[in-house]
Amino acid sequence: MKLQRDVYIAGVGETVFGKHKEDYDVLGRQAAFQAIRASNIDRPDVIQSAYVGNAHNGIVTGQTIFKDLGMLGKLPIINVESACSAGAMAVHLAIKDVATGVTEISMGVGAENHTLRRQAGTAFMPAMNDIEAVHGGVMTGKYSMRATRYMHETGATIEDLAMITVKNRKHATNNPHAWFKGKITVEEIVNSRMIAYPLTLHQCCGVADGAGAVVVCSKDMIKKLGIKKPVRVAGTVVTSGPYHNQPRDITGDDITEMTSNMLYEESGIGPEDVNILELHDAFTIAELLYYECMRLCKKGEGLKFLRDGQSTYGGKCVVSPRGGMLSYGHPIGASGAAQIAANVKQLRNECPGYQVVPIPRVAMAHVTGGGLSGTEHAACTMHMLVSEF
């Protein structure tokens, strides 16, 4: 979506991720309230529209979140469902309102609680009308096949895949919002319970609860609010996955390639200019594939990019500086909004103990959503952010 005018992020909020006894609406309010306060807003009803991403917590989730903030009856609250892409898509829609002049200030929230809503140890119910899903093509199985093929083609090993978890847990060591953090060895990862070869337990994101929130506004409003560290939205793209009724290269990811290319073109920022990236690392292999899909390196060189330390502090692009989904866990509807919140805090030098240095100027966020027969993913949402202070 080509932005018709400049859109800025005024404030962000995120909860601690993990297992919570508080339901999604409480978590959503916590993140929303943080974002509102960070935006120097003294009355929540200043917000002119709100979008809420959620996947599994029922109906009218947005109204349930915002009712105790005194916002019902004051603005349109629109609920968004797009599996893992829901939270980021909610932010995209808030940006769209401001970019088109429908509002001067809007809000996107992603919130999810799995702990209180589903039995521990159970997988998400596959769509019974999806031929791949009913024959076992659930997400873990799909990424297992992608990892096996990637290993065959590149010579990567299980130990190489484990290094993604080692890196991301290390990134999260001092992040108060991350669930899993600190030192973990390759041996611990490789020897943890096998889930779907070659993916062991510590190579899969945890099923977590949490929320993220983002307030976006026009240039005039950013001045009125007195935001000292404005972050500009350089680009935002949402796509649906192309359908292939034929064999396809599972070591690529057509929707991510397509969406990132659109984002680079829209923002005028190339992959070589991106300082930090939060991506959809639901499984270790995903991060390796996405290095290549987003052109951080050439096709087939993702493993070298990892081994050479180019995706960590001091490298070309710090990937998952917050620790990613492998450290946060993955509350389906919340992760995309939380990624954006984490990126904004990095751009503003607000991450003591895990701040990227030198302070990044350009941040990118990427999250896919859902599976669908004949596609890599059903949806993909990406954002490009630039600090302007």
Side-chain angles (χ1 to χ4, degrees):
M1 180 184 73
K2 191 68 176 178
L3 301 181
Q4 296 178 24
R5 63 171 177 167
D6 287 341
V7 180
Y8 291 85
I9 294 177
V12 298
E14 62 173 323
T15 68
V16 174
F17 276 42
K19 291 187 177 182
H20 285 281
K21 293 181 180 179
E22 298 84 9
D23 208 348
Y24 77 92
D25 60 316
V26 177
L27 299 174
R29 276 193 294 279
Q30 290 174 359
F33 188 65
Q34 287 180 34
I36 289 168
R37 288 190 63 184
S39 303
N40 298 335
I41 296 171
D42 54 5
R43 293 185 1 261
D45 59 6
V46 170
I47 307 293
Q48 295 171 323
S49 69
Y51 295 86
V52 176
N54 185 275
H56 294 287
N57 292 155
I59 61 176
V60 296
T61 50
Q63 287 80 356
T64 306
I65 287 171
F66 283 114
K67 67 182 177 66
D68 287 342
L69 290 176
M71 296 172 70
L72 294 194
K74 308 289 179 62
L75 72 163
I77 298 170
I78 302 169
N79 299 297
V80 180
E81 189 285 303
S82 195
C84 311
S85 205
M89 199 174 290
V91 177
H92 168 86
L93 292 169
I95 293 168
K96 187 175 180 180
D97 276 2
V98 175
T100 55
V102 173
T103 65
E104 292 297 312
I105 183 166
S106 293
M107 187 173 202
V109 177
E112 196 89 39
N113 185 298
H114 295 299
T115 298
L116 299 178
R117 302 284 176 145
R118 58 191 291 275
Q119 184 178 347
T122 59
F124 297 116
M125 181 68 178
M128 299 310 293
N129 62 347
D130 189 300
I131 191 170
E132 291 185 3
V134 297
H135 283 87
V138 295
M139 283 300 168
T140 310
K142 286 185 175 182
Y143 279 95
S144 166
M145 291 189 293
R146 299 175 86 177
T148 303
R149 186 66 193 180
Y150 189 86
M151 290 165 66
H152 171 75
E153 292 190 1
T154 66
T157 65
I158 300 178
E159 288 76 15
D160 287 320
L161 298 180
M163 286 302 299
I164 299 286
T165 301
V166 171
K167 172 183 72 72
N168 290 358
R169 295 280 184 89
K170 183 178 180 180
H171 286 183
T173 299
N174 296 311
N175 184 346
H177 298 94
W179 187 9
F180 304 107
K181 60 185 76 178
K183 185 176 181 180
I184 187 170
T185 66
V186 168
E187 290 73 25
E188 288 177 288
I189 296 164
V190 170
N191 293 324
S192 62
R193 179 163 55 93
M194 184 62 68
I195 303 301
Y197 181 86
L199 302 176
T200 57
L201 180 65
H202 290 309
Q203 295 185 63
C204 307
C205 64
V207 179
D209 314 318
V214 181
V215 173
V216 298
C217 63
S218 65
K219 189 172 185 177
D220 286 344
M221 183 59 73
I222 208 85
K223 293 177 180 178
K224 289 179 181 178
L225 294 173
I227 302 301
K228 295 181 180 179
K229 294 183 177 181
V231 171
R232 182 172 59 86
V233 179
T236 175
V237 177
V238 172
T239 58
S240 57
Y243 177 73
H244 301 288
N245 189 18
Q246 60 187 14
R248 58 190 189 267
D249 178 11
I250 61 173
T251 67
D253 194 80
D254 51 14
I255 189 172
T256 294
E257 293 172 8
M258 179 175 66
T259 310
S260 57
N261 286 336
M262 291 170 66
L263 184 66
Y264 294 142
E265 182 177 357
E266 178 183 311
S267 65
I269 295 171
E272 67 282 357
D273 300 315
V274 177
N275 304 129
I276 60 173
L277 165 64
E278 288 292 342
L279 51 68
H280 196 132
D281 62 324
F283 304 95
T284 51
I285 183 59
E287 182 167 319
L288 267 180
L289 298 183
Y290 294 144
Y291 293 163
E292 301 176 14
C293 293
M294 296 185 211
R295 294 192 280 136
L296 299 183
C297 61
K298 295 179 181 178
K299 179 71 174 175
E301 294 185 0
L303 184 57
K304 184 177 186 301
F305 192 81
L306 172 69
R307 287 174 173 172
D308 290 349
Q310 298 299 340
S311 59
T312 189
Y313 292 76
K316 290 182 179 178
C317 177
V318 183
V319 179
S320 301
R322 70 178 183 135
M325 295 178 184
L326 289 168
S327 297
Y328 266 54
H330 185 20
I332 301 298
S335 289
Q339 287 178 330
I340 296 168
N343 272 347
V344 169
K345 288 191 286 187
Q346 282 286 347
L347 294 177
R348 289 176 169 171
N349 191 23
E350 294 174 352
C351 301
Y354 64 106
Q355 178 65 48
V356 175
V357 178
I359 299 168
R361 182 177 176 272
V362 178
M364 188 162 67
H366 157 272
V367 60
T368 59
L372 189 67
S373 176
T375 72
E376 297 296 350
H377 305 282
C380 182
T381 306
M382 295 186 66
H383 292 83
M384 189 78 77
L385 308 178
V386 179
S387 62
E388 290 202 344
F389 51 89

